[in-house]
């Protein structure tokens, strides 16, 4: 088919459907979307509470638990033990399809009746306080992560050990306040690094050891602010910087590095060892288009978190570990095939549509919480022949009698779930992290909003008193309630926090200052450092012998000579950003 331009049902903006998109839709037998790619992603993320936790009771055993569902939510919520037990049967909640009601209304009804799991935590040991996590050992407050050990207060960690306050870190060890990193060791306050060790305040460095405050270096050692040092001078200067850090001057050192980093060019996108790929934060990808944060993936489009052998998938948020032919889903993976319109379907699923929280199953439509089942619709069992006949009739019914939301958006077969049936308020979800809205705007767009609950907390130690402990941290600190430096002003601030014993030992061992912000505030500070899930069309800012703003002077002559570089690209750096942005060729000539 030819390229088509459509108008998004939601934002009313034009969007393009390419010929290869139509080929994919034909292969998985779905109609073309009516929402633009950005609105589709926002809609999927509105079903995903990644790290807002509440205390409540298990609706089965009545024990106190921690859950992503507030105690006042309309759902039945079970603890891990009760949900995974054989004491209840999700098929018992099955019901006959009602051709007098829209499909999505019926699906919402079954979601409210079938027990829900308090947290998603699979095959983990001593890691009860982790969510969207798998194969973890001795981890605490770890979110959207797998195959980690002894890692705390982190997000999107993979195959790492002994890390604290990190995000998007892979195959790394003993890292702190680091985001976007692969194969790193003892890396602190750093971003976008690979194969680095014993570094502090590094940005876009590869293969560097014993470096401080450096940007865009490759395979260097004993460098401070991009300048080479003798080993003796390096250790002396870094020792002085460490003392400043422990004396309560960490914010000053951070600002110093941020100002230094603005003097150097950035590549238009953090894409490494990748072929025919666009987006940002990609490593070892092939033909991944408009994808953000992915590695070891192939033939994916409009993806966020495509990873570990994610192949031939489109419009997905967090899909991987051998997932193939997946479309319009969120949090789906581990050996799955041909899953469409789904939410957190893990482990060996095949041929699922409009289903949620199912595992080891195949040929399901509109089901939730089924394990090792097949040929079910709305959790009701059918024969193969009955299933296939009824699914075709339901799909026709969805087109003939579509669901219409409060804003007039029409949901026929081929649309993801309407945000109105989300389990969470908009400000509880990761949609608000990447597409922030105020309460009035969210409600106007059809989302729900949850008011922040008042907390009665009496801190026993103020955050500005912590620096006096940095050089000699007492064990008794784990018993203190520490005030957060944001004092509740930020949306997700918990106002106070505690330091756990393993975390305390980490700060001692790594000779790092104690944090002054609560874990939530620390997480969102890191998230703000990451570029948005959006692309802008821009021109290279190499102006010949120097950058367009005159701050950076090129180290060698570029192929375009003294004339401005003519190259254009799609980048996550918006035009109003202060960073210097170079195309691939100009950037490589400066850093390699």
């Amino acid at each position: 088919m030819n390229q088509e331009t459509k108008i998004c049902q939601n934002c009313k903006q034009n969007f393009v459907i390419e010929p290869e998109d139509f080929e994919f839709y034909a292969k998985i037998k779905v109609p073309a979307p009516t929402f633009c790619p950005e609105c589709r992603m926002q809609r999927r993320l509105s079903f995903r509470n990644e790290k807002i936790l509440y205390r409540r009771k298990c609706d089965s055993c009545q024990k106190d638990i921690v859950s992503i569902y507030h105690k006042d939510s309309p759902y039945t919520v079970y603890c891990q033990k009760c949900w995974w037990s054989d004491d209840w049967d999700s098929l018992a909640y099955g019901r006959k399809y009602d051709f007098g009601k829209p499909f999505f209304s019926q699906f919402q009804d079954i979601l409210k009746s079938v027990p829900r799991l308090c947290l998603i935590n699979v095959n983990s040991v001593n890691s009860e306080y982790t969510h969207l996590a798998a194969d973890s050992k001795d981890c605490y407050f770890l979110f959207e992560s797998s195959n980690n050990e002894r890692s705390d207060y982190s997000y999107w960690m993979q195959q790492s050990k002994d890390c604290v306050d990190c995000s998007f870190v892979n195959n790394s060890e003993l890292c702190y306040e680091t985001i976007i990193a692969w194969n790193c060791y003892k890396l602190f306050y750093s971003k976008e690094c690979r194969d680095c060790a014993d570094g502090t305040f590094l940005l876009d460095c590869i293969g560097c050891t014993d470096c401080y405050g450096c940007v865009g270096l490759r395979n260097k050692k004993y460098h401070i602010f991009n300048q080479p040092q003798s080993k003796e001078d390096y250790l002396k200067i870094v020792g002085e910087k460490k003392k400043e850090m422990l004396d309560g001057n960490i914010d000053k050192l951070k600002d110093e590095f941020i100002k230094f980093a603005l003097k150097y060019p950035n590549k238009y996108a953090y894409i490494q060892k990748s072929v025919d790929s666009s987006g940002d934060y990609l490593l070892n990808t092939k033909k991944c288009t408009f994808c953000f944060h992915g590695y070891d993936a192939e033939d994916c489009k409009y993806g966020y978190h495509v990873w570990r052998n994610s192949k031939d998938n489109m419009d997905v948020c967090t899909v991987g570990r051998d997932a193939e032919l997946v479309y319009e889903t969120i949090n789906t993976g581990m050996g799955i095939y041909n899953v469409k319109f789904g939410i957190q379907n893990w482990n060996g699923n095949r041929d699922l549509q409009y289903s949620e929280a199912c595992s080891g199953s195949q040929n399901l439509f509109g089901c939730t919480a089924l394990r090792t089942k097949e040929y079910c619709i709305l959790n009701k069992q059918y024969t193969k022949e009955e299933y296939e006949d009824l699914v075709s009739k339901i799909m026709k019914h969805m087109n003939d009698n579509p669901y219409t939301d409060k804003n007039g958006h029409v949901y026929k077969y081929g649309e993801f779930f309407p945000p109105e049936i989300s389990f969470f308020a908009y400000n509880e979800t990761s949609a608000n992290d990447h597409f922030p809205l105020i309460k009035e705007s969210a409600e106007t767009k059809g989302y729900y909003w949850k008011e922040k609950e008042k907390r009665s907390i009496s801190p026993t130690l103020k955050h500005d008193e912590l620096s006096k402990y940095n050089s000699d941290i007492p064990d008794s600190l784990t018993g203190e309630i520490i005030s957060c430096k944001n004092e509740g002003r930020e949306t997700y601030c918990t106002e106070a926090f505690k330091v756990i014993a393993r975390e305390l030992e980490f700060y001692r061992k790594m000779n790092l200052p104690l944090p002054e912000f609560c874990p939530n505030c620390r997480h969102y500070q890191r998230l703000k450092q990451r570029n948005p899930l959006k692309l802008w069309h821009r021109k290279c800012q190499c102006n010949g012998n120097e950058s367009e703003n005159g701050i950076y002077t090129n180290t060698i002559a570029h192929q375009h000579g003294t004339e401005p570089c003519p190259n254009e690209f799609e980048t996550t750096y918006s035009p109003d950003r202060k960073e210097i942005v170079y195309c691939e060729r100009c950037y490589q000539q400066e850093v390699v």
Side-chain angles (χ1 to χ4, degrees):
M1 294 185 68
N2 296 324
Q3 181 188 88
E4 281 191 21
T5 299
K6 292 195 171 189
I7 299 176
C8 174
Q9 263 205 88
N10 187 50
C11 68
K12 311 304 180 185
Q13 300 297 309
N14 289 345
F15 69 100
V16 175
I17 301 179
E18 303 288 352
E20 59 269 23
D21 299 343
F22 283 113
E23 292 176 8
F24 181 83
Y25 302 143
K27 179 162 58 174
I28 63 171
K29 300 178 181 178
V30 299
T34 65
F35 279 44
C36 69
E38 186 171 300
C39 288
R40 299 198 299 265
M41 182 180 291
Q42 183 182 23
R43 180 173 60 182
R44 290 192 301 274
L45 291 174
S46 71
F47 282 78
R48 183 177 179 80
N49 176 358
E50 292 182 331
K51 62 187 311 299
I52 305 300
L53 305 182
Y54 302 101
R55 293 190 180 277
R56 59 169 295 155
K57 289 188 180 293
C58 169
D59 287 321
S60 178
C61 67
Q62 295 300 308
K63 290 183 179 178
D64 291 331
I65 59 173
V66 173
S67 174
I68 54 174
Y69 303 98
H70 191 272
K71 61 181 177 63
D72 295 331
S73 74
Y75 303 100
T76 301
V77 178
Y78 283 6
C79 68
Q80 298 275 349
K81 183 178 179 180
C82 291
W83 197 86
W84 287 105
S85 74
D86 295 327
D87 295 339
W88 68 285
D89 181 6
S90 51
L91 284 179
Y93 298 85
R95 69 275 314 272
K96 188 177 179 180
Y97 191 82
D98 183 354
F99 285 93
K101 296 172 60 178
F103 163 75
F104 290 111
S105 297
Q106 296 181 64
F107 189 69
Q108 184 179 35
D109 290 342
I110 198 168
L111 289 177
K112 289 181 178 179
S113 65
V114 178
R116 308 197 59 74
L117 183 58
C118 62
L119 298 170
I120 306 300
N121 184 340
V122 179
N123 194 33
S124 297
V125 178
N126 191 31
S127 303
E128 291 80 5
Y129 293 91
T130 62
H131 175 50
L132 296 170
D135 304 306
S136 302
K137 183 179 179 182
D138 300 325
C139 294
Y140 183 73
F141 269 65
L142 185 67
F143 301 96
E144 187 51 272
S145 303
S146 63
N147 301 98
N148 300 288
E149 294 184 29
R150 298 178 302 279
S151 292
D152 307 315
Y153 300 114
S154 295
Y155 173 76
W156 231 98
M157 298 279 292
Q158 306 295 328
Q159 299 171 298
S160 297
K161 297 179 180 179
D162 299 297
C163 294
V164 176
D165 280 322
C166 291
S167 300
F168 310 104
V169 170
N170 308 268
N171 298 97
S172 298
E173 188 173 352
L174 291 173
C175 293
Y176 178 68
E177 281 290 359
T178 291
I179 65 172
I180 319 293
W182 283 269
N183 307 317
C184 292
Y185 178 78
K186 286 188 179 180
L187 194 62
F188 309 140
Y189 306 107
S190 297
K191 178 183 175 185
E192 297 175 5
C193 293
R194 179 160 55 88
D195 304 321
C196 292
D198 296 293
T200 304
F201 293 121
L202 302 187
L203 172 63
D204 185 27
C205 291
I206 298 176
C208 295
T209 58
D210 295 294
C211 290
Y212 178 97
C214 294
V215 179
L217 294 190
R218 301 293 184 265
N219 304 311
K220 301 297 184 183
K221 189 170 185 176
Y222 299 132
H223 276 60
I224 296 177
F225 291 114
N226 283 33
Q227 298 301 311
Q229 310 287 330
S230 67
K231 179 180 179 179
E232 293 74 18
D233 287 345
Y234 174 85
L235 293 175
K236 178 183 177 184
I237 296 172
V238 169
E240 292 170 352
K241 293 290 185 182
K242 281 278 188 181
K243 187 177 184 305
E244 278 190 75
M245 195 181 294
L246 295 173
D247 284 343
N249 293 308
I250 185 64
D251 289 340
K252 172 190 170 185
L253 296 176
K254 286 180 180 179
D255 290 341
E256 181 182 43
F257 177 64
I258 290 170
K259 291 176 182 177
F260 176 78
L262 288 173
K263 299 177 182 178
Y264 288 82
N266 297 265
K267 189 168 76 168
Y268 74 100
Y270 189 83
I271 301 177
Q272 298 184 353
K273 296 184 178 180
S274 297
V275 179
D276 296 330
S277 296
S278 65
D280 208 359
Y281 304 122
L282 302 177
L283 176 70
N284 295 331
T285 63
K286 181 180 180 181
K287 295 182 180 178
C288 287
T289 310
F290 291 98
C291 288
F292 302 89
H293 192 247
Y295 64 98
D296 302 334
E298 182 176 350
D299 289 310
C300 294
K301 191 170 186 179
Y302 302 127
Y304 174 46
H305 293 170
V306 289
W307 55 294
R308 291 170 75 176
N309 203 28
S310 179
K311 186 177 181 181
D312 209 8
N313 304 313
M314 184 182 288
D315 280 303
V316 289
C317 296
T318 307
V319 63
R321 292 179 77 171
D322 305 305
E324 186 173 353
L325 280 184
V326 180
Y327 175 65
E328 274 280 31
T329 71
I330 185 165
N331 195 33
T332 301
M334 298 186 188
I336 67 168
Y337 181 84
N338 192 31
V339 174
K340 297 173 284 193
F341 322 112
I343 303 170
Q344 58 195 41
N345 295 297
W346 288 14
N347 297 321
N349 289 300
R350 186 183 182 94
D351 301 319
L352 269 57
Q353 297 192 71
Y354 290 110
S355 294
E356 183 265 346
C358 296
S359 61
S361 298
Q362 56 185 324
N363 294 294
L364 306 180
F365 194 106
C367 293
T368 181
L370 293 187
R371 302 196 288 269
T372 61
K373 299 294 188 294
E374 61 180 337
Y375 302 119
C376 298
I377 299 171
L378 293 180
N379 284 37
K380 181 176 173 61
Q381 184 71 64
Y382 294 90
T383 66
K384 179 178 183 294
E385 293 74 19
E386 291 171 335
Y387 172 85
E388 292 174 348
D389 179 61
L390 185 53
V391 164
S392 64
K393 291 178 180 177
I394 292 173
M395 291 167 61
K396 183 178 185 302
H397 177 253
M398 292 175 71
N399 290 328
D400 294 342
N401 299 276
Y403 178 94
T404 303
D405 69 16
K406 64 180 69 174
N407 286 326
H409 302 138
V410 178
Y411 282 78
K412 297 184 178 182
Y413 174 78
E415 297 290 346
F416 190 73
F417 305 101
E420 290 178 353
I421 72 171
S422 173
F423 322 116
F424 311 106
Y426 189 82
N427 55 327
E428 292 178 303
T429 70
S430 52
N432 201 42
D433 296 345
H434 300 288
F435 305 97
L437 298 173
I438 60 173
K439 176 185 176 181
E440 291 74 15
S441 297
E443 291 178 338
T444 298
K445 293 177 181 292
Y447 300 107
Y448 299 108
W449 192 267
K450 188 178 186 309
E451 297 294 343
K452 187 175 181 179
E453 296 181 339
K454 293 183 179 180
R455 308 187 72 197
S456 179
I457 300 175
S458 299
T460 59
L461 185 66
K462 290 187 174 294
H463 61 82
D464 53 9
E465 298 179 85
L466 288 173
S467 59
K468 68 183 180 183
Y469 294 114
N470 284 333
S471 58
D472 185 20
I473 308 174
D475 292 340
S476 60
L477 191 71
T478 58
E480 301 283 4
I481 300 173
I482 305 165
S483 67
C484 176
K485 194 171 183 177
N486 275 330
E487 298 178 335
R489 289 186 293 270
E490 295 295 325
T491 303
Y492 300 107
C493 180
T494 60
E495 301 178 33
F497 64 101
K498 300 186 76 172
V499 175
I500 65 172
R502 184 171 61 235
E503 179 190 8
L504 186 65
E505 186 56 33
F506 179 88
Y507 299 137
R508 286 170 170 164
K509 184 178 179 180
M510 298 296 105
N511 201 24
L512 291 165
L514 295 162
E516 295 184 315
F517 294 91
C518 69
N520 269 7
C521 288
R522 300 192 312 252
H523 166 74
Y524 287 102
Q525 286 170 353
R526 289 193 300 276
L527 202 62
K528 287 177 182 177
Q529 296 180 54
R530 192 175 187 270
N531 287 3
L533 308 179
K534 186 174 182 178
L535 296 175
W536 286 268
H537 188 81
R538 292 187 62 181
K539 181 177 175 295
C540 179
Q541 290 186 296
C542 180
N543 203 37
N545 296 322
E546 61 183 11
S547 62
E548 196 176 82
N549 59 9
I551 292 176
Y552 179 79
T553 301
N554 293 340
T555 57
I556 61 172
H558 293 189
Q559 290 187 344
H560 52 79
T562 58
E563 295 299 314
C565 176
N567 290 339
E568 298 180 0
F569 41 72
E570 302 293 323
T571 178
T572 54
Y573 289 96
S574 62
D576 59 347
R577 294 274 290 265
K578 295 180 181 180
E579 292 91 343
I580 301 166
V581 183
Y582 275 15
C583 68
E584 175 87 24
R585 179 176 291 177
C586 292
Y587 168 85
Q588 293 292 356
Q589 287 180 293
E590 292 302 308
V591 303
V592 175

